[in-house]
Amino acid sequence: MTPQRPHGTPATPASSLQLPVAETWFTTTRIDDAITRIHEPHVHPFLQANTWYIRGRNRSLLIDTGLGVTPLRPAFPQLFADEPIVVITHGHLDHMGGAHEFADCRAHRADPIETPPPGALASAALFAELGMAATDAGTVPHLLISALPHENYDPGSYRLRPTRVSRHLVEGDIIGLGDRDLTVLHLPGHSPGSIALYEPETQTLFSGDVVYDGRLLDDIHGADPRAYVATMGRLAELPVRVVHPGHGPSFDGARLRELTSAYIASRRVTQDVA
Ligand SMILES: [Zn+2]
């Protein structure tokens, strides 16, 4: 999740909103021959997460699964003709919403993938669930989608579905696709079970919400700023050429090091003051 501020949109009850029906719910961007970014343009930027698809020789890999407002898998029958390995970077709704659609779903044990909280598309309910400040709730609209996935969709019916985890991932696990290997990094801070996937051969990092180019959330339920500082110190030392984050566009290693330094510096100031 990425906070947006300030919007100043007045709160409006969901029932009175006349939302258009989206022509297509998902948008794809092809990064290269193997990697495709999938995202949901009608979701407010606070909840608009990236799903990364990586085609491998033996298996394909899906990193995160979007919000789960509408099924992901039937939208891409060609990509998911074979059962992909699905890695959930952490247990927040905008990353694991579609996870229940897949049989081989892997995640770290420390995040509640199998018994998630219900989630919500209404900002007040969601912010309460996440333990976010009321001042943050005032900066986003009442409803966090700007279109409906289909006619008669009721945003109030949104519930995160439990997902059976086929394998609990730990630091150092290798996700093998046949022609490429990605290593699991356990990087707590945003959540206790946050993980990233790192491909040493190409120095590519799929970072989830551990780092993206925006305000990072370390004051929500389950977050731990002290662990986050250690995580950022670790990422600053990692040889990285490109980061494909959980939110927003990809960026290079130089920008990663700017973001890690800025976070560590901001926390040092906070801790000095406190
Ligand atoms: Zn998150």
Side-chain angles (χ1 to χ4, degrees), residues 69-89:
V69 164
T70 192
L72 175 64
R73 191 164 191 159
F76 300 99
Q78 288 177 324
L79 292 191
F80 303 132
D82 296 323
E83 192 67 41
I85 299 169
V86 176
V87 169
I88 302 300
T89 59

Side-chain angles (χ1 to χ4, degrees), residues 181-226:
D181 287 330
L182 294 98
T183 305
V184 173
L185 308 180
H186 180 211
L187 300 170
H190 176 71
S191 74
S194 279
I195 56 172
L197 293 181
Y198 176 63
E199 186 175 45
E201 195 172 314
T202 58
Q203 299 187 346
T204 300
L205 181 72
F206 294 91
S207 64
D209 278 5
V210 175
V211 62
Y212 48 78
D213 202 341
R215 182 184 155 223
L216 302 172
L217 292 179
D218 66 357
D219 56 356
I220 55 177
H221 287 324
D224 179 348
R226 199 174 289 269

Side-chain angles (χ1 to χ4, degrees), residues 46-241:
F46 175 73
L47 274 185
Q48 191 185 112
N50 294 327
T51 290
W52 296 99
Y53 172 85
I54 301 117
R55 187 172 42 77
R57 190 175 60 216
N58 299 345
R59 295 290 298 272
S60 59
L61 169 64
L62 195 65
I63 303 173
D64 289 336
T65 57
L67 192 52
V69 164
T70 192
L72 175 64
R73 191 164 191 159
F76 300 99
Q78 288 177 324
L79 292 191
F80 303 132
D82 296 323
E83 192 67 41
I85 299 169
V86 176
V87 169
I88 302 300
T89 59
H90 65 296
H92 288 150
L93 71 168
D94 44 340
H95 300 263
M96 63 157 291
H100 64 90
E101 299 174 45
F102 298 92
D104 186 357
C105 190
R106 311 178 188 185
H108 196 279
R109 191 184 291 278
D111 272 23
I113 312 295
E114 296 183 286
T115 53
L121 300 179
S123 52
L126 180 60
F127 280 35
E129 181 180 292
L130 295 171
M132 288 187 68
T135 47
D136 278 336
T139 64
V140 298
H142 169 77
L143 196 60
L144 295 167
I145 55 174
S146 58
L148 303 176
H150 53 80
E151 224 171 329
N152 304 322
Y153 179 77
D154 173 14
S157 70
Y158 178 87
R159 295 286 179 282
L160 205 49
R161 307 236 323 237
T163 294
R164 202 186 72 80
V165 174
S166 58
R167 188 180 303 182
H168 284 114
L169 297 172
V170 298
E171 168 74 25
D173 278 352
I174 306 289
I175 308 289
L177 307 184
D179 53 346
R180 45 203 312 173
D181 287 330
L182 294 98
T183 305
V184 173
L185 308 180
H186 180 211
L187 300 170
H190 176 71
S191 74
S194 279
I195 56 172
L197 293 181
Y198 176 63
E199 186 175 45
E201 195 172 314
T202 58
Q203 299 187 346
T204 300
L205 181 72
F206 294 91
S207 64
D209 278 5
V210 175
V211 62
Y212 48 78
D213 202 341
R215 182 184 155 223
L216 302 172
L217 292 179
D218 66 357
D219 56 356
I220 55 177
H221 287 324
D224 179 348
R226 199 174 289 269
Y228 218 146
V229 167
T231 278
M232 289 305 211
R234 196 178 162 199
L235 285 183
E237 300 294 316
L238 196 67
V240 171
R241 190 181 58 78

